[in-house]
Amino acid sequence: MNEDRIAGNWKQFKGKIKEQWGKLTDDDFDVIAGKRDQFLGKLQERQGIAKDVAEQQLTDWQKRNPDFRWDE
């Protein structure tokens, strides 16, 4: 997947992610920048949840949004 497509994909899904996890800020999204590991860290921090809970929430969200692809 080329860089422009990844960036477009991230912008498209940021709104859906904000609906699910409203405590994440725009600054958080700048840090995350479409990278899964950074997302999990911010999710744990902002939501105050354990890593395994964050992983499960993210896995469930990804199942509901199969078109989303993380920047590897």
Side-chain angles (χ1 to χ4, degrees):
M1 184 177 295
N2 70 37
E3 194 171 313
D4 291 337
R5 189 164 175 204
I6 291 169
N9 190 31
W10 177 239
K11 287 178 185 177
Q12 176 184 0
F13 280 93
K14 274 179 23 177
K16 289 185 177 189
I17 291 169
K18 284 182 180 183
E19 288 174 12
Q20 177 76 30
W21 296 288
K23 292 181 182 179
L24 292 171
T25 67
D26 287 334
D27 288 340
D28 291 336
F29 282 101
D30 290 342
V31 170
I32 295 165
K35 295 189 174 38
R36 191 174 195 280
D37 289 341
Q38 284 85 346
F39 181 84
L40 282 171
K42 285 296 180 183
L43 184 58
Q44 290 174 35
E45 178 184 334
R46 295 289 183 214
Q47 302 295 119
I49 57 178
K51 183 177 182 176
D52 60 329
V53 174
E55 282 275 3
Q56 187 59 56
Q57 286 184 7
L58 184 53
T59 298
D60 292 345
W61 184 87
Q62 286 180 271
K63 287 177 183 174
R64 293 189 307 273
N65 296 279
D67 293 335
F68 182 75
R69 300 287 183 262
W70 289 101
D71 184 3
E72 300 295 329

